[in-house]
Amino acid sequence: MPRLLAALAVGTCLGLLPAAGLAEPVPAIAMHGTPKFAPGFAQLPYADPAAKPGGEIVLGQTGSFDTLNPLIIKGEPAAGLREWLYEPLMMRSLDEPFTLYGLIAETIDVPADRSSATFAINPLAKFSDGHAITADDLIFSMEVLREKGRPNHRTYYKKVKLAEKLDERTVRFVFDTANDREMPLIMGSMPVLPKHKLTAEAFDKTTLEPPVGSGPYTIAKVDAGRSITYKRNPSYWGRDLAVNRHRFNIDTIRFEYFRDSSVLFEAFKSGLIDQRLEDDPQRWADGYNVPAVREGRIIKRELETGLPAGMSGLVFNTRRDVFKDQRVRQALIRLFNFEWANKTLYHGLFKRTQSFFERSYLSAFGRPADATELEFLADYKAVVRGEVLDGKSAMPVSDGSGHNRDNAREAFKLLKDAGYAVQDGVLVDAKTKAPLSFEILAPSGGQERLVQGYASDLARLGIKATLRLVDSAQFQSRLKSYDYDMVSREWVSSLSPGNEQLFRWSSQVADQDGSYNYAGVKSPAVDAMIGKLLAAESPDAFAAAVRSLDRVLMSGDYVIPLFHLPKHWVAHWHHIRAPEKMPLWGYNIDTWWIDGAK
């Protein structure tokens, strides 16, 4: 059918809208500015031509899994599914803040206001079972994820008001807002599902049946809850694309699951696991003092990363009465003794986190608000503390001893102002006599010493904090339904924060199970700043919007900020080889390979 007639046929059913001045189709799109790599580039600079295909790598995971569907909130999905089995329409460059290059979609076509996006499918694109990827697969993927996918997908794809099948390989998505310039890139990041293998009715059910994807790997073996093995697909349709050259070098990737991190680490030292990302400073400092490291058979690497550190913290569930008063939250922040914990537990290797976009130009920490930020925040001055606006705010500092007296005095004053008093050594509500107590939920003993040290400091003021350790399945279940008082969580960040901020902080998801709004934030100021960053057209306006969001979040005292690693710490056995150049984002196993000679 000619392209115009096909468009008219689908448009009749879906409500055809005018094209709004489409531009020329292009093979790449950047969130702000222009793509780094010109059309016709040979390969990504962080993919090493010296890489040799072949070999096997075994990686470790803690916990367990009970589903091979990573796109719904039910169950705990196995590792690697999104990375190697399901492909997005376009591939994200790891050397840029947010730029997409053609993958399943050969080109993207957007108007100046980014109110729509038209994708032309690469004629070579196919699923691992040989079925060609068509426009029907794209529309099916969007619809089923919008209705039954994870809450972030539901939030994103509800902005699509029209899906037009222009022909068998071309789809146009029209958005219901002109104030979200990220939507074309959001659609470009959409995982593509095989319509011929899935039904909308069965999609939101957990399953251990290996799914069909279009990515570079297929599932070779599943041992439910214990291991999953991926095999490089020799018929992978995209192996010769410039974005994929010298990537996906390892023939077999197997994830082995362990009950906790200490058992996993012992497996690594014994050679059962080949490579691991380390996040424990104490272990990094002295846990690798073994013969294999001294003899060069295990290699430790500290890799630079240009990404923001994000936020790791103890999260207040403000849905709970105990944390509704901001003065209580401020007091509990002051009672956390970072300097003592870092020195005593972590060899002083951590840095204190002061911002939700730490370690980047997007952070408001130490930076006074500029004119654009002041304009954005003009209607919300009441919720942004003056010292945060001036760039002079910082986390409380102790002398590093086990005594946090100065901060404790300030905390007690805040608690007294909030209506608490000490009675028989217990801090209680002066009116109701209810004690100030709460539970800290954790999935394992990984942070047990940190939390117990914090609980001891709280006990000195008559506050009872109880650590509750649960298995990974129960932890995920309680996390999704917000069944906790306080929980340790991490929000990773990129140089191009966008729609995911809705899923983390917006009022619309605060009561929606499965979101990442763990704190229960419901703030018009937060909602407004997310809107500003989504609508920003210039890099300067975008940075101002993100810093404004940072100021509002920090002023809300929603978390006790913890700490972050200064670099990516990677340990691996000597037969694993790393590329000579790392991307802006740091560690990425897709470009590593196996040295068969070792």
Side-chain angles (χ1 to χ4, degrees):
M1 180 184 291
R3 181 165 172 162
L4 177 59
L5 292 179
L8 289 172
V10 177
T12 301
C13 298
L14 299 178
L16 187 62
L17 296 182
L22 296 182
E24 288 297 318
V26 291
I29 182 173
M31 182 62 200
H32 298 104
T34 58
K36 182 176 181 179
F37 309 119
F41 69 95
Q43 66 166 77
L44 295 168
Y46 52 87
D48 198 327
K52 294 177 174 59
E56 177 182 13
I57 191 170
V58 182
L59 305 174
Q61 290 282 113
T62 56
S64 183
F65 68 92
D66 58 11
T67 182
L68 300 182
N69 185 350
L71 301 170
I72 58 174
I73 65 171
K74 295 178 183 176
E76 183 64 21
L81 293 162
R82 287 297 307 273
E83 293 84 354
W84 298 311
L85 193 124
Y86 289 115
E87 285 185 308
L89 277 166
M90 304 183 77
M91 192 213 78
R92 187 166 189 169
S93 165
L94 301 185
D95 239 11
E96 302 165 76
F98 195 4
T99 299
L100 300 181
Y101 292 86
L103 188 61
I104 290 175
E106 198 169 32
T107 61
I108 182 173
D109 187 346
V110 299
D113 64 0
R114 296 195 175 185
S115 58
S116 69
T118 301
F119 297 95
I121 298 171
N122 190 315
L124 299 176
K126 63 180 180 180
F127 294 106
S128 60
D129 62 1
H131 277 71
I133 298 177
T134 69
D136 291 333
D137 295 307
L138 270 59
I139 293 174
F140 170 78
S141 300
M142 184 276 295
E143 291 178 340
V144 75
L145 290 169
R146 181 173 61 187
E147 298 303 319
K148 298 192 173 187
R150 296 189 67 83
N152 56 323
H153 290 137
R154 299 183 194 186
T155 300
Y156 300 159
Y157 304 146
K158 281 181 180 177
K159 296 184 178 184
V160 177
K161 66 179 177 183
L162 174 66
E164 293 182 276
K165 176 180 174 181
L166 302 182
D167 59 35
E168 287 302 311
R169 292 195 301 108
T170 312
V171 175
R172 177 173 172 247
F173 296 106
V174 181
F175 312 124
D176 67 0
T177 175
N179 294 319
D180 186 348
R181 296 182 58 80
E182 192 186 27
M183 275 308 295
L185 287 88
I186 290 292
M187 297 311 300
S189 304
M190 180 181 73
V192 177
L193 310 175
K195 183 180 180 182
H196 67 283
K197 293 291 292 185
L198 296 171
T199 64
E201 292 72 26
F203 175 74
D204 60 349
K205 294 179 172 57
T206 59
T207 179
L208 288 173
E209 179 182 349
V212 171
S214 64
Y217 290 84
T218 57
I219 296 176
K221 183 180 179 181
V222 177
D223 185 355
R226 297 180 178 179
S227 72
I228 182 168
T229 303
Y230 297 91
K231 198 78 174 175
R232 194 157 60 104
N233 182 4
S235 301
Y236 171 48
W237 73 271
R239 63 184 180 275
D240 295 324
L241 297 179
V243 294
N244 288 333
R245 288 191 187 122
H246 311 302
R247 296 178 63 219
F248 313 119
N249 304 302
I250 302 171
D251 276 349
T252 303
I253 302 173
R254 186 169 84 250
F255 284 96
E256 291 285 349
Y257 280 75
F258 298 85
R259 66 176 180 269
D260 60 46
S261 60
S262 61
V263 177
L264 192 160
F265 184 55
E266 292 303 315
F268 170 74
K269 290 192 295 182
S270 68
L272 296 176
I273 299 298
D274 293 312
Q275 186 178 65
R276 58 180 277 110
L277 274 171
E278 186 57 78
D279 60 1
D280 185 336
Q282 183 173 10
R283 191 154 50 214
W284 189 251
D286 55 28
Y288 290 82
N289 186 21
V290 296
V293 174
R294 294 192 293 271
E295 295 163 4
R297 292 181 291 122
I298 289 179
I299 299 168
K300 293 173 65 180
R301 296 177 184 266
E302 295 189 1
L303 304 178
E304 298 287 348
T305 174
L307 289 182
M311 172 60 75
S312 173
L314 295 172
V315 185
F316 299 108
N317 186 354
T318 62
R319 303 170 186 85
R320 300 290 175 96
D321 289 340
V322 65
F323 295 139
K324 286 190 181 299
D325 192 317
Q326 189 170 352
R327 291 168 296 186
V328 172
R329 305 199 300 271
Q330 290 172 344
L332 294 174
I333 290 172
R334 281 165 171 75
L335 290 171
F336 180 76
N337 192 341
F338 164 74
E339 286 71 27
W340 174 85
N342 194 34
K343 180 179 70 174
T344 307
L345 304 178
Y346 306 120
H347 293 263
L349 294 177
F350 271 134
K351 290 187 176 181
R352 187 72 193 268
T353 299
Q354 306 273 3
S355 160
F356 285 84
F357 305 95
E358 182 80 31
R359 201 177 57 197
S360 78
Y361 70 95
L362 298 175
S363 170
F365 175 66
R367 181 194 297 263
D370 62 22
T372 305
E373 292 176 68
L374 293 174
E375 178 185 343
F376 288 166
L377 293 167
D379 293 334
Y380 305 101
K381 290 181 179 178
V383 297
V384 182
R385 293 199 299 270
E387 64 270 23
V388 175
L389 203 63
D390 295 338
K392 297 179 180 178
S393 175
M395 288 296 108
V397 177
S398 76
D399 61 7
S401 72
H403 305 287
N404 197 13
R405 293 188 181 93
D406 290 343
N407 289 324
R409 278 193 288 269
E410 292 181 21
F412 185 73
K413 183 179 185 304
L414 285 164
L415 292 167
K416 184 178 178 181
D417 291 344
Y420 285 91
V422 176
Q423 182 174 310
D424 298 327
V426 178
L427 196 68
V428 300
D429 185 301
K431 293 181 179 179
T432 67
K433 307 304 178 184
L436 179 54
S437 64
F438 57 91
E439 181 180 276
I440 305 173
L441 182 70
S444 70
Q447 288 188 328
E448 186 169 0
R449 293 180 66 195
L450 173 71
V451 174
Q452 295 292 18
Y454 180 49
S456 295
D457 283 346
L458 297 179
R460 292 190 181 106
L461 252 65
I463 303 169
K464 183 178 180 181
T466 305
L467 175 63
R468 175 73 64 184
L469 296 176
V470 297
D471 61 43
S472 60
Q474 186 179 357
F475 179 77
Q476 289 299 324
S477 176
R478 291 183 63 174
L479 195 66
K480 290 172 184 176
S481 60
Y482 314 118
D483 183 17
Y484 50 82
D485 297 328
M486 178 182 284
V487 66
S488 178
R489 286 284 83 194
E490 180 179 6
W491 293 274
V492 297
S493 188
S494 76
L495 290 170
S496 185
N499 271 273
E500 81 283 351
Q501 302 301 312
L502 291 168
F503 191 55
R504 297 176 179 188
W505 311 113
S506 73
S507 303
Q508 69 189 67
V509 302
D511 297 321
Q512 182 178 319
D513 283 1
S515 84
Y516 295 166
N517 190 346
Y518 304 116
V521 177
K522 292 182 179 179
S523 164
V526 167
D527 296 339
M529 294 311 107
I530 295 174
K532 295 289 187 185
L533 73 87
L534 293 177
E537 296 187 19
S538 71
D540 288 346
F542 174 74
V546 178
R547 288 195 291 265
S548 297
L549 174 62
D550 195 21
R551 296 185 200 279
V552 176
L553 290 173
M554 292 304 296
S555 296
D557 299 308
Y558 299 111
V559 305
I560 302 173
L562 293 180
F563 28 68
H564 60 276
L565 299 177
K567 298 180 180 181
H568 285 166
W569 293 339
V570 184
H572 61 88
W573 285 82
H574 71 310
H575 61 279
I576 310 294
R577 295 290 300 278
E580 191 170 312
K581 182 184 185 302
M582 295 292 168
L584 174 69
W585 290 33
Y587 170 79
N588 174 42
I589 196 174
D590 289 350
T591 56
W592 294 49
W593 71 97
I594 307 297
D595 186 343
K598 294 186 177 182

